[in-house]
Amino acid sequence: MNTNPEITGTTKLCGVMGDPVGHSVSPAMHNAAFRALGLDYAYLPFRVRREDLPAALQGMRALNIRGLNVTIPHKVALLPLLDEIDTLALQIGAVNVLLNDCGRLSGYNTDAQGFLRMLTGNGVDPQGKNVVVLGAGGAARAISFALASRGASLTILNRTAAPAQACAADISRAFSLSIKVLDLNRESLAHALQQASLLVNATSVGMSPQADATPVDLELLGPNITVVDIVYNPYKSRLLKEAEQASARTINGLEMLVWQGALAFEIWTGGQPPLNVMRQAATAALKSYEK
Ligand code: ATR
């Protein structure tokens, strides 16, 4: 154990790989966790463009980077590039955590569990609920899978049809249920939201620096729906602000980030994640971005 927080010749490196990563609070969250437990680890952001993904994975092997979080836009694209994929991540079709064991890269998914922990923590049980999921990327796949596993009825809306169809087909197969797929536009949103009690934004719409964007018009929101936004930066996205105005219940995605990060920490270090330290560090980092 290294109680000295300085980087040494034996420090193990972890990080987050995505594009953009400039507003990520994961470095603050994980470095605080390593420091709190006196672990000889450090965590850095790596901006990796879509076309550089294969080179980045080779770099991870060559530089012996111990673990990475994976975010937009790589969670689905990296699957064929890995040496091993954990069963859950394979079923979900998305990887958000990488572990490097002597050059062998294994992929895991902690988003699904992180999302469920966030829901449970807010007293929301998806069983039997009509849920509208916006998006069909890596995060949406994990969230849709998690919701289906807990007995929700899903409608997936996405800007592009093909990934939404593929996501729905994979989940339908895993749980033998039917999932509705619609284009993401005002008309289909209005239709889907009429019957829904839970709305989850799993797109990146509204994320800083495009914080004035929202995927759903205010007029479509009302008091009978709970709105979850996985965009946590800004802390209160335009979608969540407008949902509040419409008297809807709102849940911010920061708690999902903390839980998926805690589960990643366990995979990399084998140790118990200091959840409160991580939560506080992530919140403080967000506040400092918003100043
Ligand atoms: P993540 O890993 O966070 O899921 P991703 O796999 O790149 O990131 O997925 C991003 C999601 O946000 C996708 O559903 C994407 O829609 P497309 O499949 O049509 O690309 C959605 N998204 C991103 N920008 C969007 C925008 N401006 N309007 C609507 N949807 C958007």
Side-chain angles (χ1 to χ4, degrees):
M1 184 159 121
N2 172 26
T3 49
N4 180 349
E6 277 182 21
I7 289 171
T8 69
T10 58
T11 302
K12 295 185 189 71
L13 186 58
C14 293
V16 56
M17 161 173 91
D19 186 18
V21 286
H23 285 80
S24 173
V25 299
S26 291
M29 180 169 82
H30 283 284
N31 284 316
F34 294 147
R35 269 198 303 277
L37 298 187
L39 297 178
D40 190 12
Y41 280 78
Y43 189 105
L44 287 175
F46 297 104
R47 182 178 175 204
V48 173
R49 292 197 172 86
R50 203 182 283 273
E51 61 273 22
D52 292 329
L53 180 63
L57 294 178
Q58 261 319 98
M60 183 183 185
R61 290 186 180 95
L63 297 171
N64 200 24
I65 294 172
R66 172 66 175 162
L68 290 176
N69 283 125
V70 182
T71 187
I72 296 174
H74 305 306
K75 284 180 185 176
V76 178
L78 59 56
L79 262 77
L81 305 172
L82 301 179
D83 300 307
E84 224 166 293
I85 302 169
D86 154 83
T87 314
L88 177 66
L90 198 58
Q91 279 183 308
I92 292 171
V95 159
N96 71 300
V97 178
L98 291 178
L99 177 73
N100 179 3
D101 193 10
C102 302
R104 272 189 77 72
L105 303 188
S106 305
Y108 297 84
N109 191 297
T110 65
D111 275 343
Q113 193 59 24
F115 178 77
L116 287 177
R117 299 279 187 132
M118 174 182 73
L119 280 193
T120 312
N122 281 280
V124 177
D125 179 2
Q127 175 69 42
K129 289 204 165 71
N130 283 323
V131 184
V132 170
V133 176
L134 310 182
R141 274 183 167 267
I143 287 167
S144 301
F145 188 94
L147 286 164
S149 77
R150 294 300 155 98
S153 291
L154 295 179
T155 304
I156 297 174
L157 285 81
N158 198 46
R159 176 176 64 174
T160 316
Q165 299 287 2
C167 173
D170 287 351
I171 294 169
S172 303
R173 206 174 310 118
F175 296 100
S176 308
L177 44 81
S178 98
I179 293 173
K180 280 183 225 137
V181 175
L182 299 170
D183 288 342
L184 179 54
N185 60 45
R186 198 178 193 284
E187 202 184 6
S188 49
L189 264 174
H191 171 72
L193 288 174
Q194 266 171 10
Q195 292 130 40
S197 55
L198 186 62
L199 164 69
V200 184
N201 176 35
T203 74
S204 50
V205 178
M207 188 167 86
S208 205
Q210 263 91 47
D212 55 351
T214 178
V216 185
D217 282 353
L218 170 61
E219 299 80 57
L220 299 178
L221 301 168
N224 298 326
I225 195 152
T226 297
V227 180
V228 181
D229 199 344
I230 67 155
V231 169
Y232 61 82
N233 191 347
Y235 185 77
K236 218 176 256 181
S237 62
R238 180 171 162 200
L239 173 63
L240 290 191
K241 279 188 199 150
E242 294 187 348
E244 273 179 9
Q245 278 178 42
S247 305
R249 180 164 179 219
T250 60
I251 299 175
N252 160 287
L254 188 63
E255 197 60 13
M256 173 176 165
L257 176 90
V258 171
W259 274 109
Q260 68 73 31
L263 296 165
F265 179 98
E266 239 176 273
I267 290 170
W268 298 328
T269 68
Q272 276 290 316
L275 209 65
N276 281 334
V277 169
M278 296 177 82
R279 186 176 286 124
Q280 277 164 20
T283 309
L286 254 190
K287 282 189 182 146
S288 76
Y289 280 133
E290 291 192 349
K291 266 182 199 155

